Amino acid sequence: MSTIRGARERARIEVTAAIKDEARKQLAAEGAAKLSLRAVARELGMVSSALYRYFPSRDDLLTALIVDAFDAIGEAAEQAAAECEAAAPSAECWIAVAMAVREWALDHPHEYALIYGSPVPGYTAPMDTVGPASRVGLAFIGILRTAFRADGLAVPPLAPELCSDAERMAAEFAPDLPPAAVAALVAAWAQLFGLISFELFGQFNRVVEAREPLFRQAVEGLARSVGLLGVRTV
């Protein structure tokens, strides 16, 4: 019985992977808004009712693809952080992680568009996506935490009207970091993905040719903004 169960589980894993692979092809060709379970089933030679046993709805399939994409970009960030954390200064580690995130995005433009592009009409991401979506941010928090514990951070003071928000974000995301550092990190995180999105979605066309050098210089500036470069103040 266990042998039969094992074979069924392996078959289910293989069919699930095939469904997601075909769905990613549809993302590349048509975009997330036009993802269709019937079209996926047709391309795989399955009847729709069989596919529904794996993904009961389009939204379930979208969620699986979104979780996979967040996990993949998160793994790229975590691997870059792990490779440099012991040997490199925190600012260099920050840059290495940012470069790894950009490289993943350029290698997987359609998956990146799924998680950081326009919202899919009619789709609301469930809580299942929150953990995977947090992985890149947590990698950057880890870099700041290491620097703060070792030497402190050169973070500029907060504007008074931001103090309440910064304290709330620090309590939620990184209670062991100064609120000013967490607020700066949230701003840097938004700017990082703005840079990547501008490059990936064509806003730099006929504007910026040396895109990797621009990105590297920009993330060095972001490292400074979160306190990894300069005279330590906190």
Side-chain angles (χ1 to χ4, degrees), residues 101-192:
V101 169
R102 173 182 177 270
E103 182 178 354
W104 184 90
L106 294 178
D107 288 343
H108 304 86
H110 304 295
E111 288 95 330
Y112 179 89
L114 177 64
I115 54 178
Y116 291 112
S118 299
V120 180
Y123 174 79
T124 301
M127 290 300 295
D128 295 358
T129 62
V130 173
S134 303
R135 291 176 66 173
V136 172
L138 290 174
F140 284 118
I141 287 173
I143 294 169
L144 259 65
R145 182 177 289 121
T146 298
F148 178 62
R149 290 173 178 172
D151 302 309
L153 295 168
V155 184
L158 277 171
E161 57 268 30
L162 286 178
C163 289
S164 177
D165 236 14
E167 289 169 1
R168 175 188 55 77
M169 290 188 291
E172 183 174 353
F173 304 137
D176 54 339
L177 291 177
V182 176
L185 176 60
V186 170
W189 173 72
Q191 292 173 75
L192 172 73

Side-chain angles (χ1 to χ4, degrees), residues 15-179:
V15 174
T16 299
I19 292 169
K20 291 196 285 188
D21 285 345
E22 179 56 38
R24 291 187 187 98
K25 292 178 184 176
Q26 283 199 21
L27 288 180
E30 302 288 345
K34 293 185 178 180
L35 181 64
S36 162
L37 291 183
R38 290 182 180 276
V40 170
R42 183 172 60 250
E43 291 299 322
L44 293 175
M46 299 173 65
V47 295
S48 299
S49 58
L51 191 146
Y52 292 140
R53 291 200 293 269
Y54 294 87
F55 297 100
S57 70
R58 179 209 68 160
D59 285 6
D60 291 301
L61 179 53
L62 271 175
T63 296
L65 298 176
I66 287 168
V67 167
D68 284 354
F70 275 131
D71 276 335
I73 196 171
E75 184 178 346
E78 291 162 0
Q79 183 175 343
E83 288 174 355
C84 74
E85 192 169 16
S90 294
E92 292 182 19
C93 218
W94 171 280
I95 294 167
V97 171
M99 297 299 291
V101 169
R102 173 182 177 270
E103 182 178 354
W104 184 90
L106 294 178
D107 288 343
H108 304 86
H110 304 295
E111 288 95 330
Y112 179 89
L114 177 64
I115 54 178
Y116 291 112
S118 299
V120 180
Y123 174 79
T124 301
M127 290 300 295
D128 295 358
T129 62
V130 173
S134 303
R135 291 176 66 173
V136 172
L138 290 174
F140 284 118
I141 287 173
I143 294 169
L144 259 65
R145 182 177 289 121
T146 298
F148 178 62
R149 290 173 178 172
D151 302 309
L153 295 168
V155 184
L158 277 171
E161 57 268 30
L162 286 178
C163 289
S164 177
D165 236 14
E167 289 169 1
R168 175 188 55 77
M169 290 188 291
E172 183 174 353
F173 304 137
D176 54 339
L177 291 177

